[in-house]
Amino acid sequence: MDWKDMLSQLRDNLPEGADNAQETGPASEVPATGSKSVKKEKIHIVIEKKGRKGKTATIAEGFKCSDEELQDIASNAKRHLGVGGSARGGEILIQGECKERLAAFLKNLGYSVC
């Protein structure tokens, strides 16, 4: 018996209406990363050189999402801008000075950029 058969047996044994509750969960309310819905977070973008041996870095701070979503946003931003960087602790660090391009990218995703 494979997993599909086992799942169908489990679904058959559920009381009526119980499996409708699973279809309308919080996952259906979360917009996709590429959507243009307005986010509530105000993102601040700053340029820093301190502590990086004179190299310039663009930092976007103020994200209030999960680390997985932040990693996804950072990955898309790095790919879009053609630069390196990282994401952790509610911040996205982009190598180089690209404040305007990063702001335009985040506005396109629906974030409010200050």
Side-chain angles (χ1 to χ4, degrees), residues 35-45 60-64 102-114:
S35 69
K36 290 192 174 191
S37 64
V38 177
K39 311 274 186 197
K40 294 181 180 178
E41 295 128 8
K42 291 186 180 181
I43 307 301
H44 298 279
I45 300 177
E61 52 192 19
F63 291 94
K64 296 176 184 163
L102 181 60
F105 176 78
L106 292 174
K107 283 180 184 177
N108 190 27
L109 289 180
Y111 288 96
S112 174
V113 179
C114 303

Side-chain angles (χ1 to χ4, degrees), residues 5-111:
D5 294 333
M6 293 172 67
L7 182 62
S8 65
Q9 284 181 356
L10 287 174
R11 290 189 129 192
D12 292 340
N13 294 337
L14 288 175
E16 193 168 321
D19 97 308
N20 289 340
Q22 293 175 352
E23 294 176 6
T24 58
S28 63
E29 298 171 7
V30 177
T33 304
S35 69
K36 290 192 174 191
S37 64
V38 177
K39 311 274 186 197
K40 294 181 180 178
E41 295 128 8
K42 291 186 180 181
I43 307 301
H44 298 279
I45 300 177
V46 294
I47 306 291
E48 278 190 6
K49 285 187 178 181
K50 180 175 67 173
R52 293 181 177 81
K53 299 181 183 176
K55 307 255 179 172
T56 305
T58 305
I59 300 174
E61 52 192 19
F63 291 94
K64 296 176 184 163
C65 57
S66 67
D67 286 339
E68 292 83 22
E69 187 178 352
L70 185 65
Q71 289 289 340
D72 188 40
I73 295 168
S75 176
N76 289 334
K78 292 185 299 182
R79 190 175 304 116
H80 177 76
L81 300 172
V83 297
S86 65
R88 64 178 154 244
E91 293 183 345
I92 296 177
L93 183 136
I94 300 291
Q95 296 173 352
E97 187 172 340
C98 49
K99 184 176 182 176
E100 292 82 19
R101 292 173 41 209
L102 181 60
F105 176 78
L106 292 174
K107 283 180 184 177
N108 190 27
L109 289 180
Y111 288 96

